[in-house]
């Protein structure tokens, strides 16, 4: 029986941080489309169907509730949904390879390739396949080969539509993106598919913000956008080390340079280091691609962004140990924040993981506090079992501690009663503000010795 083509059935494979919120936004703004999200992880799908979504993202539950079971559906039934779909977004994860050729750098494309083969197997009519996952440049070519080398008489048009949303602000980023990028082949079928995708986003995004390009430019732009953002953080973090040695103040330097319209003020907050699932992975990907083409200087240039990040994390813990009289053995240290940034429970590549592990190696007694990330933190630190205490309440976490380290810039940490906290701690009491969010003069007045990023310390000894 010939399939009735309606062009309005969207499927997303991969119900993660990207797939879930993005499809909710499309369903909300495009009521005439039916959007289904599938995943091999049944628990994740069940969570999407409940009021306890699998990811914490401010405002997301409201959006999901408006459209769920109307034109947004979550399912574990992959094959039939592929069969029915007209447009398939692929948003499965593409972690850094941990084995074999390119281990530690190249992207592990096994899930992605498996998904391409599943699409081919289940399909009975032409489809548009959209890469949403961040992939090495020219992956679309491989996807093309796998899909279109078929004897079913089916044509698959592969597009690249990288997602630029940031966690913690995903709903707002999807609602008002700086731009949406759609890459397609410049053939007749490619341009027709490009138009269909543009029409979807044009439901709520001004046309001038929908940028189109060839597939390779779209794939590369995603890697380069993340590499540039991360590079700004490593640049300012490298200068923070210099500030700590001089009388310069990193916030004043960032403010002064950021006022230059050519530089801009965003992404200039010095910190304990950047984390998140994308920056390191995407830069490694860029490095691997450059190396593959024999562009060693290019590879080294971008690799240095990661090296500075590792240096910054290392520097932070080394300073903690040094100023606490060269030993943290047996000392209670409360980590305020474990997520890689505020307003998310995600801890992937969080600098807090590195800090916690180093302190434990030095036999410190680590107490992890975070309003949203404790379940993920427990998973990250599984190997240490009972040696770590998890306590969401920061007042309780700091009781009897020698030191506090601020590792995530949660707003709640700015307004705590630090006098009360100080009174419950061991003295001398230390605060290491890895996010430069606290009122350091006030903390010093209370009695804390204060260490911060990119400014001289305030110490009582
Ligand atoms: C996304 C992109 O896919 C990644 O390439 C980009 O760099 C970061 O954002 P994210 O949504 O954060 O990843 O990943 P994750 O939350 O791990 O979600 C991926 C989902 O795909 C998981 O729920 C996983 O179960 C699912 N999956 C994976 C499948 O459904 N099928 C598979 O074969 C593999
Ligand atoms: C990033 C990109 O911003 C987004 O466009 C892309 O789609 C995915 O990767 P995300 O990783 O969610 O988003 O968060 P982002 O806000 O970029 O922060 C990344 C890391 O950099 C965090 O650890 C954050 O704390 C740190 N950061 C950010 C700084 O240390 N200083 C800054 O000035 C900004």
């Amino acid at each position: 029986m010939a399939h009735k083509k309606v062009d309005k059935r969207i499927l997303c494979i991969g119900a993660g941080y990207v797939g879930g919120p993005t499809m909710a936004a499309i369903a909300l703004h495009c009521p005439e489309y039916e959007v289904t999200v599938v995943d091999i992880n049944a628990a994740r799908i069940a969570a999407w169907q409940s009021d306890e979504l699998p990811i914490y993202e401010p405002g997301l539950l409201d959006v999901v509730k408006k459209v769920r079971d109307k034109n947004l559906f979550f399912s574990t039934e992959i094959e039939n949904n592929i069969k029915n779909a007209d447009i398939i977004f692929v948003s499965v994860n593409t972690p850094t390879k941990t084995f074999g050729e390119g281990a530690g750098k190249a992207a592990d494309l096994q899930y992605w390739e498996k998904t391409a083969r599943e699409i081919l197997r289940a399909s009975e009519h032409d489809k548009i396949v959209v890469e949403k996952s961040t992939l090495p440049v020219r992956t679309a070519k491989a996807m093309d080969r796998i899909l279109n080398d078929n004897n079913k008489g089916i044509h698959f048009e592969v597009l690249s539509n990288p997602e630029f949303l940031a966690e913690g602000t995903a709903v707002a980023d999807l609602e008002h993106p700086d731009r949406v990028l759609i890459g397609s082949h410049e053939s007749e079928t490619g341009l027709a598919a490009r138009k269909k995708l543009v029409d979807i986003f044009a439901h709520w995004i001004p046309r001038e913000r929908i940028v189109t390009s060839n597939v390779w430019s779209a794939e590369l732009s995603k890697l380069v956008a993340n590499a540039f953002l991360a590079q700004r953080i490593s640049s300012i973090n490298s200068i923070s080390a210099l500030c700590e040695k001089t009388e310069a103040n990193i916030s004043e330097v960032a403010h002064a340079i950021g006022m230059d319209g050519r530089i801009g003020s965003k992404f200039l907050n010095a910190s304990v280091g950047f984390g998140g699932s994308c920056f390191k992975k995407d830069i490694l990907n860029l490095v691997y691609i450059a190396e593959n083409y024999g562009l060693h200087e290019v590879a080294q240039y971008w690799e240095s962004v990661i090296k500075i990040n590792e240096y910054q994390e290392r520097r932070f813990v080394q300073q903690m140990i040094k100023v606490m009289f060269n030993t943290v053995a047996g000392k209670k240290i409360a980590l305020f924040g474990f997520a890689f940034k505020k307003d998310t429970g995600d801890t992937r590549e969080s600098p807090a993981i590195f800090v916690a592990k180093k302190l434990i190696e030095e036999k410190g007694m680590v107490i992890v506090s975070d309003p949203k990330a404790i379940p993920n933190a427990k998973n990250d630190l599984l190997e240490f079992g009972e040696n770590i205490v998890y306590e969401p309440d920061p007042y309780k976490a700091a009781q009897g501690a020698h030191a506090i380290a601020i590792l995530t810039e949660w707003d709640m940490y700015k307004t705590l009663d630090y006098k009360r906290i100080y009174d419950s701690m061991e003295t001398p009491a230390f605060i290491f503000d890895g996010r430069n969010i606290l009122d350091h003069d006030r903390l010093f007045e209370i009695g804390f010795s204060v260490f911060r990023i990119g400014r001289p310390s305030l110490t009582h000894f």
Side-chain angles (χ1 to χ4, degrees), residues 204-373:
W204 77 100
I205 294 159
R207 289 267 172 173
E208 65 275 14
R209 287 186 183 247
I210 305 178
V211 180
T212 55
S213 72
N214 74 36
V215 179
W216 327 123
S217 303
E219 287 180 336
L220 185 58
S221 299
K222 169 70 192 198
L223 296 183
V224 174
N226 277 341
F228 267 62
L229 289 169
Q231 178 244 47
R232 285 176 70 90
I233 303 168
S234 279
S235 296
I236 202 76
N237 281 345
S238 75
I239 301 301
S240 76
L242 197 52
C243 287
E244 285 162 31
K245 299 282 183 206
T246 62
E247 293 287 298
N249 170 337
I250 196 67
S251 310
E252 291 176 354
V253 174
H255 181 66
I257 64 167
M259 282 180 76
D260 187 326
R262 295 167 301 175
I263 296 174
S265 61
K266 295 182 182 154
F267 267 68
L268 287 179
N269 288 323
S271 66
V272 53
F274 61 73
S277 69
C278 289
F279 283 0
K280 186 174 172 194
K281 166 171 76 74
D282 290 356
I283 294 172
L284 286 174
N285 235 313
L286 198 58
V287 167
Y288 186 71
I289 293 165
E291 269 170 6
N292 256 330
Y293 287 108
L295 305 173
H296 303 296
E297 287 79 359
V298 177
Q300 277 163 19
Y301 176 74
W302 288 106
E303 201 164 14
S304 69
V305 172
I306 297 175
K307 287 198 175 135
I308 287 287
N309 199 50
E310 290 166 354
Y311 163 74
Q312 189 76 349
E313 293 178 343
R314 208 167 51 237
R315 221 164 63 75
F316 185 81
V317 199
Q318 281 170 347
Q319 188 192 38
M320 287 182 77
I321 297 165
K322 185 167 159 231
V323 303
M324 292 174 77
F325 318 111
N326 286 312
T327 176
V328 293
K331 291 180 184 166
K332 239 176 117 175
I333 301 164
L335 304 185
F336 280 15
F338 207 83
F340 81 98
K341 63 190 276 197
K342 72 172 180 177
D343 292 337
T344 177
D346 194 354
T347 59
R348 288 178 291 180
E349 300 293 339
S350 178
I353 300 174
F354 177 82
V355 172
K357 287 189 172 168
K358 275 281 169 213
L359 293 173
I360 295 163
E361 261 175 35
E362 295 289 331
K363 305 205 185 307
M365 293 163 61
V366 172
I367 297 105
V368 172
S369 194
D370 190 289
K372 292 288 174 196

